[in-house]
Short mmCIF file of all heavy atoms in Angstrom, two decimals:
data_model
loop_
_atom_site.label_atom_id
_atom_site.label_comp_id
_atom_site.label_asym_id
_atom_site.label_seq_id
_atom_site.Cartn_x
_atom_site.Cartn_y
_atom_site.Cartn_z
N ILE X 225 16.95 -23.10 -9.38
CA ILE X 225 16.49 -23.34 -8.04
C ILE X 225 15.90 -22.08 -7.45
O ILE X 225 14.81 -22.09 -6.66
CB ILE X 225 17.69 -23.84 -7.18
CG1 ILE X 225 18.10 -25.17 -7.69
CG2 ILE X 225 17.27 -24.01 -5.72
CD1 ILE X 225 19.50 -25.65 -7.13
N LEU X 228 12.18 -21.02 -8.47
CA LEU X 228 11.03 -21.82 -8.04
C LEU X 228 10.81 -21.74 -6.50
O LEU X 228 11.70 -21.18 -5.85
CB LEU X 228 11.37 -23.34 -8.28
CG LEU X 228 11.72 -23.73 -9.59
CD1 LEU X 228 11.99 -25.20 -9.80
CD2 LEU X 228 10.67 -23.33 -10.72
N SER X 229 9.69 -22.06 -6.02
CA SER X 229 9.47 -21.95 -4.63
C SER X 229 9.64 -23.36 -3.94
O SER X 229 9.44 -24.37 -4.78
CB SER X 229 7.94 -21.52 -4.33
OG SER X 229 7.20 -22.50 -4.61
N ASN X 230 9.96 -23.42 -2.71
CA ASN X 230 10.21 -24.72 -2.05
C ASN X 230 8.90 -25.51 -2.15
O ASN X 230 9.03 -26.76 -2.44
CB ASN X 230 10.59 -24.43 -0.60
CG ASN X 230 11.04 -25.67 0.13
OD1 ASN X 230 11.47 -26.67 -0.51
ND2 ASN X 230 11.03 -25.69 1.37
N ASP X 231 7.73 -25.00 -1.91
CA ASP X 231 6.47 -25.68 -1.99
C ASP X 231 6.24 -26.31 -3.42
O ASP X 231 5.84 -27.43 -3.56
CB ASP X 231 5.31 -24.88 -1.62
CG ASP X 231 5.31 -24.45 -0.17
OD1 ASP X 231 6.09 -25.09 0.55
OD2 ASP X 231 4.47 -23.63 0.22
N ASP X 232 6.53 -25.39 -4.46
CA ASP X 232 6.28 -25.91 -5.82
C ASP X 232 7.20 -27.11 -6.04
O ASP X 232 6.78 -28.10 -6.72
CB ASP X 232 6.60 -24.68 -6.72
CG ASP X 232 5.74 -24.85 -7.94
OD1 ASP X 232 4.70 -25.34 -7.85
OD2 ASP X 232 6.30 -24.32 -9.02
N MET X 233 8.51 -27.04 -5.61
CA MET X 233 9.43 -28.06 -5.97
C MET X 233 8.96 -29.35 -5.18
O MET X 233 9.11 -30.45 -5.76
CB MET X 233 10.79 -27.69 -5.36
CG MET X 233 11.68 -27.10 -6.47
SD MET X 233 13.25 -26.76 -5.61
CE MET X 233 14.43 -26.98 -6.88
N ALA X 234 8.61 -29.16 -3.96
CA ALA X 234 8.16 -30.27 -3.14
C ALA X 234 6.91 -30.94 -3.73
O ALA X 234 6.97 -32.17 -3.80
CB ALA X 234 7.90 -29.83 -1.73
N GLU X 235 6.06 -30.14 -4.32
CA GLU X 235 4.92 -30.68 -4.84
C GLU X 235 5.10 -31.44 -6.26
O GLU X 235 4.66 -32.46 -6.50
CB GLU X 235 3.76 -29.63 -5.07
CG GLU X 235 2.39 -30.11 -5.46
CD GLU X 235 1.51 -29.01 -5.75
OE1 GLU X 235 1.48 -27.98 -5.01
OE2 GLU X 235 0.64 -29.18 -6.68
N LYS X 236 5.96 -30.81 -7.03
CA LYS X 236 6.34 -31.38 -8.41
C LYS X 236 7.32 -32.63 -8.19
O LYS X 236 7.08 -33.51 -8.98
CB LYS X 236 7.03 -30.31 -9.08
CG LYS X 236 6.04 -29.51 -10.05
CD LYS X 236 6.81 -28.70 -11.15
CE LYS X 236 6.07 -27.61 -11.67
NZ LYS X 236 6.87 -26.42 -11.74
N PHE X 237 8.15 -32.53 -7.34
CA PHE X 237 9.25 -33.52 -7.34
C PHE X 237 9.29 -34.38 -5.98
O PHE X 237 9.59 -35.50 -6.01
CB PHE X 237 10.64 -32.94 -7.58
CG PHE X 237 10.69 -32.12 -8.80
CD1 PHE X 237 10.61 -30.70 -8.85
CD2 PHE X 237 10.64 -32.75 -10.11
CE1 PHE X 237 10.52 -29.98 -10.02
CE2 PHE X 237 10.72 -32.11 -11.40
CZ PHE X 237 10.54 -30.64 -11.24
N GLY X 238 9.25 -33.67 -4.83
CA GLY X 238 9.31 -34.23 -3.58
C GLY X 238 10.73 -34.98 -3.43
O GLY X 238 11.70 -34.45 -3.96
N ARG X 239 10.67 -36.18 -3.04
CA ARG X 239 11.77 -36.94 -3.02
C ARG X 239 11.71 -38.20 -4.05
O ARG X 239 12.35 -39.21 -3.85
CB ARG X 239 12.12 -37.52 -1.54
CG ARG X 239 12.55 -36.45 -0.61
CD ARG X 239 12.84 -37.03 0.70
NE ARG X 239 13.79 -38.03 0.70
CZ ARG X 239 15.14 -37.87 0.72
NH1 ARG X 239 15.63 -36.71 0.95
NH2 ARG X 239 15.90 -38.98 0.79
N LYS X 240 10.75 -37.94 -4.96
CA LYS X 240 10.61 -38.91 -5.96
C LYS X 240 11.91 -39.56 -6.66
O LYS X 240 12.71 -38.69 -6.95
CB LYS X 240 9.67 -38.46 -7.02
CG LYS X 240 8.15 -38.60 -6.77
CD LYS X 240 7.29 -38.54 -8.03
CE LYS X 240 7.31 -37.26 -8.56
NZ LYS X 240 6.29 -36.36 -8.30
N LEU X 241 11.96 -40.73 -6.73
CA LEU X 241 13.19 -41.31 -7.35
C LEU X 241 12.87 -41.43 -8.85
O LEU X 241 11.95 -41.79 -9.32
CB LEU X 241 13.52 -42.71 -6.67
CG LEU X 241 13.94 -42.66 -5.29
CD1 LEU X 241 14.18 -44.14 -4.72
CD2 LEU X 241 15.22 -41.90 -5.03
N GLU X 259 14.28 -37.33 -8.92
CA GLU X 259 13.54 -36.55 -10.04
C GLU X 259 14.14 -35.19 -10.21
O GLU X 259 14.21 -34.73 -11.25
CB GLU X 259 12.06 -36.56 -9.88
CG GLU X 259 11.41 -37.91 -10.24
CD GLU X 259 11.36 -38.05 -11.71
OE1 GLU X 259 11.75 -37.23 -12.44
OE2 GLU X 259 10.66 -39.11 -12.19
N ILE X 260 14.28 -34.48 -8.94
CA ILE X 260 14.63 -33.06 -9.09
C ILE X 260 16.07 -32.92 -9.76
O ILE X 260 16.30 -32.03 -10.37
CB ILE X 260 14.53 -32.42 -7.72
CG1 ILE X 260 14.96 -30.99 -7.76
CG2 ILE X 260 15.47 -33.08 -6.66
CD1 ILE X 260 13.97 -30.18 -8.55
N TYR X 263 15.51 -33.35 -13.34
CA TYR X 263 15.00 -32.11 -13.96
C TYR X 263 15.89 -30.92 -14.12
O TYR X 263 16.04 -30.25 -15.24
CB TYR X 263 13.71 -31.75 -13.06
CG TYR X 263 13.18 -30.32 -13.37
CD1 TYR X 263 12.22 -30.22 -14.53
CD2 TYR X 263 13.45 -29.22 -12.66
CE1 TYR X 263 11.60 -29.10 -14.78
CE2 TYR X 263 12.85 -28.02 -12.94
CZ TYR X 263 12.00 -27.87 -14.01
OH TYR X 263 11.44 -26.65 -14.39
N TRP X 320 11.01 -15.94 -3.44
CA TRP X 320 12.03 -15.64 -2.49
C TRP X 320 13.28 -15.00 -3.05
O TRP X 320 14.11 -14.53 -2.42
CB TRP X 320 12.41 -16.77 -1.60
CG TRP X 320 13.00 -18.09 -2.33
CD1 TRP X 320 12.10 -18.94 -3.06
CD2 TRP X 320 14.23 -18.40 -2.66
NE1 TRP X 320 12.99 -19.94 -3.55
CE2 TRP X 320 14.28 -19.67 -3.31
CE3 TRP X 320 15.45 -17.76 -2.18
CZ2 TRP X 320 15.36 -20.25 -3.74
CZ3 TRP X 320 16.72 -18.53 -2.58
CH2 TRP X 320 16.67 -19.65 -3.34
N PRO X 349 1.79 -19.93 -6.06
CA PRO X 349 2.67 -20.88 -5.43
C PRO X 349 3.93 -20.82 -6.29
O PRO X 349 4.84 -21.72 -5.77
CB PRO X 349 1.95 -22.15 -5.59
CG PRO X 349 0.90 -21.88 -6.77
CD PRO X 349 0.65 -20.51 -6.87
N HIS X 350 4.15 -20.30 -7.36
CA HIS X 350 5.26 -20.69 -8.26
C HIS X 350 6.64 -19.94 -8.14
O HIS X 350 7.40 -20.16 -9.01
CB HIS X 350 4.88 -20.52 -9.67
CG HIS X 350 3.49 -21.34 -9.96
ND1 HIS X 350 3.46 -22.69 -9.95
CD2 HIS X 350 2.25 -20.95 -10.25
CE1 HIS X 350 2.23 -23.15 -10.13
NE2 HIS X 350 1.59 -22.08 -10.35
#
Side-chain angles (χ1 to χ4, degrees):
Chain X
I225 296 167
L228 306 176
S229 72
N230 191 23
D231 286 351
D232 208 27
M233 264 182 150
E235 192 183 321
K236 269 194 198 136
F237 307 102
R239 291 182 55 88
K240 272 201 291 270
L241 294 177
E259 279 285 2
I260 183 65
Y263 171 78
W320 57 278
H350 306 295

